[in-house]
Amino acid sequence: MIRLENVSVNFNEFKALDTINCSLNQNDFILLVGHNGAGKSTLLDVISGKVIPNHGKIFRNNLNITNISEQKKSLFVSRVFQNTHMGSVASLSIRENLCLTMLKQKKTGFKLLKNNFPEFIVDEIIKPLGLRLENLLDTPIGKLSGGQRQIITIIMATLNQPDVLLLDEPTAALDPISSQLVLQFLEKFTHNKNIATVMITHDEKEAEFLCQKKWFLSHGILTTQ
């Protein structure tokens, strides 16, 4: 689905990624591990289009997407960050943030979508989490706890069923119970929707039950397992 061929990224004299070769396929769930500064976030930056590699190529289903912008890649690559304030609009409610996400792929107005909010989002995604977020649909995101915000951000990132989901330590701000709920949600949802997922985690053991493959980065060099 997504393939990197001989991808290298240099920041001045520093080589952040060194001749990376890897592939992401449907239903892959990959743990990306490595020490601080190993190049993990840079690799996600390259896949998402935030950083254009100095050398090498990136393909999606054999189509060269190396120089496609981050905005255009966001139609099929979603990303969730450790910072719970990223990925949502604090002044808007949960319902409104979810509507903004759906507008990416729907030819309709925001007000019409909000007034006809799809109930499957509540019944099939939010309620099963068991966190009673369905009672907070009209609460501004900025008034939620960090854990609640991150959960909504993950739901937003997966709502349009991207080809690839990039997770940059998504549970770092969550308490252990919320963290496990989110990881279980990710396991079921990404598998059912055939989403290829790459997850950087601060706690490798916590997410081992999700792992199908492991990628190890050290000084910009990737090895796969």
Side-chain angles (χ1 to χ4, degrees), residues 14 16 24 27 29 73 152 181 190 202:
F14 176 68
L24 280 168
N27 275 333
F29 203 112
K73 281 188 178 178
I152 295 301
L181 283 171
T190 56
H202 66 289

XYZ file of all heavy atoms in Angstrom, residues 14 16 24 27 29 73 152 181 190 202:
85
model
N 23.142 16.818 9.632
C 22.635 15.687 10.416
C 21.763 14.788 9.551
O 20.800 15.259 8.922
C 21.826 16.193 11.608
C 21.177 15.105 12.422
C 21.942 14.227 13.177
C 19.795 14.954 12.419
C 21.342 13.219 13.930
C 19.182 13.956 13.165
C 19.967 13.088 13.915
N 18.979 12.375 9.526
C 17.894 11.908 10.395
C 17.403 10.526 9.989
O 17.061 9.703 10.849
C 16.737 12.907 10.366
N 4.155 -0.664 4.144
C 2.967 -0.738 4.984
C 1.853 -1.366 4.173
O 1.531 -0.894 3.077
C 2.535 0.665 5.415
C 3.271 1.323 6.567
C 2.900 2.800 6.624
C 2.913 0.652 7.870
N -3.955 -3.819 7.271
C -4.033 -4.532 8.550
C -2.708 -4.660 9.287
O -2.660 -5.268 10.359
C -4.656 -5.925 8.380
C -6.175 -5.881 8.428
O -6.755 -4.986 9.042
N -6.814 -6.821 7.775
N -0.059 -3.730 11.886
C 0.042 -2.888 13.083
C 1.493 -2.980 13.532
O 1.940 -4.019 14.022
C -0.903 -3.329 14.195
C -1.218 -2.208 15.151
C -2.496 -1.669 15.223
C -0.226 -1.654 15.955
C -2.771 -0.610 16.090
C -0.497 -0.605 16.821
C -1.780 -0.080 16.884
N -2.071 14.396 1.278
C -1.879 13.076 1.875
C -2.832 12.832 3.038
O -3.123 11.681 3.375
C -0.429 12.911 2.342
C 0.557 12.587 1.230
C 1.924 12.252 1.800
C 2.898 11.872 0.692
N 4.249 11.578 1.225
N -11.006 11.421 21.668
C -11.777 12.038 20.597
C -10.888 12.298 19.378
O -11.312 12.096 18.228
C -12.436 13.347 21.067
C -13.467 13.052 22.167
C -13.095 14.075 19.887
C -14.575 12.112 21.745
N -8.225 1.043 27.099
C -9.456 1.155 26.313
C -9.162 1.659 24.908
O -9.702 1.156 23.923
C -10.440 2.099 27.011
C -11.199 1.532 28.205
C -11.962 2.637 28.922
C -12.172 0.444 27.750
N -8.909 -0.695 13.601
C -7.953 -0.735 12.494
C -8.029 -2.062 11.750
O -7.871 -2.106 10.528
C -6.520 -0.497 12.981
O -6.177 -1.462 13.993
C -6.354 0.902 13.563
N 5.799 4.891 24.168
C 6.751 5.047 25.262
C 6.803 3.794 26.122
O 7.699 3.628 26.933
C 6.363 6.245 26.132
C 5.055 6.053 26.860
N 3.837 6.056 26.211
C 4.784 5.840 28.164
C 2.869 5.849 27.096
N 3.412 5.718 28.286
